[in-house]
Amino acid sequence: NAELNNGRLAMLAIVGMISQNGFLGTTGASMWIPGAAFDKELGATMPFKYFDPLGLASDGDAGAFRRRRAAEIKNGRVAMWACMGYIAPEYFRWPGYLSPSANLKFTDVPNGVAALSKVPAEGWAQIGIFIAFLELFALRQDKDRMPGDLTGAGRLGLPFFLVGAKSGPCDAVSSERSLNAELNNGRLAMLAIVGMISQNGFLGTTGPSMWIP
């Protein structure tokens, strides 16, 4: 059994190494621990420390790194909400109607990807407008603040914009632990939501049956 499992792992490993060597020209330790100008930035935590196997930041372009980091944080936050959105409706639904004109209750909307076809077009339009409002105004990224540090939201995401207030700049030194935790949780959530959507789409399962068959 050990020989079989080690052989399976080795087949995946050699395909990955040959592919990376062929496309990027890297061999040896640089295949797994590439040097970079950003290896001291937030997010370089154990067990992988600085992880950039494709060498996207190898050119040292600070502007491009900042843009990618802001996108990583934003996508991680969305993914964390998305994971909660997959789990919470299995145990709780809002009372009342999602669309009174269509006689559609919240409890009538299925969980997972099946909900995409049930929500009325007007509902998707409202969601799109709200997202645009957040992107363009309330949660817009300022150029003079670190990626993910938004004037419209304070510590732990408190929505200051709802009361017309602005949050102060984040202290990256004193908040290093929580900032690293947010990055890592966001990365995990991005993998998790891709897995849940894929399993839901291919197998049709949602809720506990996704993890406890």
Side-chain angles (χ1 to χ4, degrees), residues 151-191:
T151 58
R155 187 173 178 82
L156 302 179
L158 292 176
F160 281 25
F161 69 89
L162 291 178
V163 294
K166 292 185 178 181
S167 66
C170 173
D171 185 346
V173 176
S174 63
S175 302
E176 181 180 3
R177 184 176 182 275
S178 59
L179 292 173
N180 278 326
E182 180 187 32
L183 274 166
N184 288 330
N185 290 339
R187 291 164 178 169
L188 178 61
M190 286 188 276
L191 293 174

Side-chain angles (χ1 to χ4, degrees), residues 75-140:
N75 291 334
R77 290 169 175 171
V78 171
M80 286 188 276
W81 278 108
C83 288
M84 291 300 298
Y86 246 89
I87 298 170
E90 293 290 332
Y91 307 99
F92 171 79
R93 296 295 180 97
W94 292 109
Y97 286 84
L98 171 64
S99 175
S101 61
N103 197 32
L104 181 66
K105 296 181 178 180
F106 286 103
T107 53
D108 296 331
V109 180
N111 198 13
V113 295
L116 296 176
S117 61
K118 300 297 183 182
V119 177
E122 295 84 355
W124 287 117
Q126 292 176 46
I127 293 172
I129 292 170
F130 180 64
I131 292 173
F133 165 74
L134 295 178
E135 282 282 317
L136 298 175
F137 303 103
L139 300 181
R140 187 173 184 174

